[in-house]
Amino acid sequence: MRLSPSDPSDPPGDTASPAPAIARRGDLFGHPRGLAVLFATEMWERFSYYGMRALLVLYMVKHLSEPGRAETVIGYVALRGALEAVFGPLGPQAFASHVYGLYTGLVYLTPLLGGLVADRVLGQRRTVVLGATLMALGHLMMAVETLLFPALVVLVLGSGAFKPNISTQVGALYGADDARRDRAFSIFYVGINLGAFLAPLVCGSLGERVGWHWGFGVAGFGMLIGLAVYLAGARTLPPDVRTATPGPMPDAGRMTRRERRAVIALLLLCVPVTLFWATYEQEGNTVTLWADGHTDRTVTLLGLVVEIPTTWFQALNPLMIFLFTPLVVELWAWQSRRGREPSTVTKMALGCLGVALANLVMAAATLQDGRAGMAWLVAYFAVLTLGELYLSPIGLSLVTRIAPARHASLLMGVWLATSMTGNLLAGVLGSLWERMDRTAFFLMIAALAAAAAVIIAAARRPLHEALGEAAGMAERSRGGTGPG
């Protein structure tokens, strides 16, 4: 049974909200049952995405660069020609970096379209089903070498339909001031990273050791499992919220002054968050190449020397999400009880600082004689993960908290678009890998991440004031300090 805004069973301190809330009577482990369905669906979607992403750069650099292979791929000549017209001649690694940046960037641009389609036409549920179907098809197409670039186009369109609407549904399970909301997104984030953890181990191992297309194909089957889970659990999900109505848009479709200020503050945050993603996304691009060519990956087991697959290092970040999330959440709860929990804006600045420190670790690794030990990569991913936990799930929670319900999917798409510009910039930065000294490269990435932290910190007070009107009560209901 769905709670009405004035239901007496609302928790103390909750206020009326246009966002639907699911009754607590049927909760599972203190959260609506729909959270478990969305958790599992997102886990399998991330399995498919990160499985393919773990292989993409290595596949292009180590396989497609062989004479005569790339030319058989549909669209290869046209795409390479277009990129070289802008950036000049590109070697295999630079071209692969640009493709990586374009793909991961467009994955975060199309959610703008997917959010609009869901808000005005199909609703969140049907748009998620459409997106999952397209992504399964795209991953399976990647198992055919000549269809690499058409497959990436299908994956981009599918992800655009899927991404904003699955996250929006998590927020729609809770009232606007429900204290469980941030915790729900942290739990949801564990689902994301469970899929991301398994993907390099399964898809990466098959791709590197059995055949590249085996890895891509298994990613497609993972997406089909996610679609089946979503359809099976559809009855536990919140109802769709759409703005499409016959005739002129009613007044309810217009944002209030308070909502407009909060949305403008959100858009301002998009600038430094773009720098965050541009620097963070080197983990799947240049850091993968560092692990492949500059890291001693051998271990001795029972007298046997074994080399760890390069893609396995991409499982470190999601593994550390599991390990660190309970610690970080408990830290915030401890700070909250003492009235000292950092505000959303402060957490995001700390997240950018974490990525800067992680790249300083890599800069130190470049100073080692010979190949660097694996401990440097472990340290890099540990610091990077802490930075991610302070920004990424908090940003998702912020969007669902301040966005008017009638524009929720569209604004989620706008927020995810910061990853688009960030990933495009990540591809451009990664293309400098072959031309720059390794130490200078990582110092450059660290400086950009630090700049993002400085920008957020400098704008902290006006951002607090703008976001506080929409989100301050939610902050205080969690026992935190709130804006300011």
Side-chain angles (χ1 to χ4, degrees):
M1 181 183 74
R2 186 164 66 93
L3 292 176
S4 66
S6 59
D7 194 299
S9 63
D10 279 340
D14 278 8
T15 60
S17 167
I22 304 301
R24 294 191 176 189
R25 184 179 304 168
D27 283 357
L28 181 66
F29 302 116
H31 287 272
R33 291 180 180 271
L35 181 63
V37 174
L38 297 172
F39 175 102
T41 303
E42 180 73 359
M43 180 194 77
W44 283 109
E45 187 273 335
R46 293 290 84 184
F47 173 88
S48 68
Y49 173 78
Y50 282 102
M52 188 280 284
R53 197 192 76 159
L55 294 169
L56 182 59
V57 170
L58 291 175
Y59 171 70
M60 294 189 67
V61 171
K62 301 178 75 171
H63 180 74
L64 279 191
S65 62
E66 294 177 4
R69 285 194 178 276
E71 290 75 14
T72 65
V73 176
I74 297 172
Y76 171 83
V77 174
L79 179 59
R80 188 179 188 99
L83 289 172
E84 290 188 335
V86 177
F87 298 102
L90 299 173
Q93 183 276 324
F95 177 66
S97 181
H98 279 291
V99 171
Y100 176 89
L102 280 171
Y103 167 67
T104 56
L106 291 173
V107 157
Y108 290 99
L109 173 63
T110 49
L112 282 169
L113 177 61
L116 189 63
V117 168
D119 281 346
R120 295 184 176 272
V121 184
L122 295 179
Q124 284 82 17
R125 294 191 189 188
R126 282 185 288 182
T127 310
V128 165
V129 171
L130 172 64
T133 302
L134 287 173
M135 282 190 288
L137 175 62
H139 284 301
L140 294 174
M141 287 171 62
M142 287 198 70
V144 181
E145 186 166 296
T146 57
L147 297 180
L148 171 64
F149 293 132
L152 291 178
V153 172
V154 173
L155 285 168
V156 163
L157 295 174
S159 186
F162 185 95
K163 290 186 74 67
N165 297 298
I166 199 81
S167 299
T168 299
Q169 287 180 84
V170 175
L173 290 168
Y174 303 87
D177 298 326
D178 193 325
R180 301 175 296 170
R181 179 187 290 260
D182 272 7
R183 292 192 292 273
F185 272 97
S186 290
I187 294 169
F188 182 67
Y189 211 64
V190 171
I192 292 174
N193 286 279
L194 180 57
F197 170 71
L198 295 172
L201 303 180
V202 178
C203 301
S205 297
L206 285 172
E208 285 193 83
R209 299 298 169 88
V210 179
W212 299 105
H213 304 300
W214 281 92
F216 295 139
V218 168
F221 283 111
M223 190 65 252
L224 288 174
I225 295 173
L227 176 59
V229 169
Y230 185 82
L231 293 173
R235 62 183 177 82
T236 68
L237 302 177
D240 287 340
V241 177
R242 274 177 279 181
T243 58
T245 56
M249 181 69 75
D251 288 343
R254 300 191 182 97
M255 289 188 288
T256 66
R257 178 177 175 275
R258 185 169 64 183
E259 289 172 337
R260 284 197 300 272
R261 288 191 65 190
V263 169
I264 290 171
L266 186 71
L267 295 177
L268 291 175
L269 274 172
C270 288
V271 176
V273 171
T274 290
L275 291 177
F276 172 88
W277 290 119
T279 52
Y280 172 90
E281 279 294 337
Q282 296 303 319
E283 64 144 337
N285 187 358
T286 53
V287 174
T288 296
L289 295 174
W290 171 269
D292 186 62
H294 301 276
T295 300
D296 181 3
R297 295 180 283 113
T298 58
V299 295
T300 302
L301 296 173
L302 302 176
L304 297 176
V305 178
V306 179
E307 186 175 67
I308 297 176
T310 301
T311 52
W312 282 23
F313 288 95
Q314 293 191 43
L316 286 174
N317 171 246
L319 173 62
M320 290 173 179
I321 291 287
F322 308 145
L323 298 177
F324 295 166
T325 293
L327 300 177
V328 170
V329 170
E330 181 54 36
L331 172 63
W332 291 342
W334 179 83
Q335 292 174 322
S336 176
R337 290 191 295 269
R338 288 156 178 77
R340 301 180 63 182
E341 181 179 3
S343 68
T344 295
V345 175
T346 301
K347 288 176 182 175
M348 295 175 79
L350 291 172
C352 295
L353 183 60
V355 177
L357 294 175
N359 279 278
L360 290 179
V361 170
M362 291 305 298
T366 65
L367 303 177
Q368 308 307 303
D369 293 330
R371 289 196 168 199
M374 290 182 285
W376 289 102
L377 279 174
V378 173
Y380 164 82
F381 280 108
V383 181
L384 184 85
T385 300
L386 287 172
E388 178 185 1
L389 285 172
Y390 268 79
L391 187 139
S392 188
I394 299 306
L396 293 176
S397 178
L398 174 65
V399 175
T400 64
R401 190 165 64 232
I402 71 171
R406 57 199 176 276
H407 303 301
S409 289
L410 179 59
L411 284 171
M412 182 62 74
V414 171
W415 180 253
L416 293 173
T418 62
S419 294
M420 179 273 293
T421 52
N423 277 278
L424 290 176
L425 181 56
V428 174
L429 293 173
S431 69
L432 302 175
W433 177 255
E434 289 183 334
R435 288 183 276 165
M436 289 185 68
D437 173 77
R438 298 291 183 258
T439 306
F441 180 86
F442 286 119
L443 288 175
M444 174 188 68
I445 301 299
L448 289 172
V454 170
I455 292 170
I456 295 176
R460 182 169 172 258
R461 185 168 296 279
L463 287 171
H464 279 169
E465 291 172 355
L467 295 174
E469 292 185 343
M473 184 173 292
E475 292 267 5
R476 288 190 291 273
S477 73
R478 294 198 306 274
T481 58

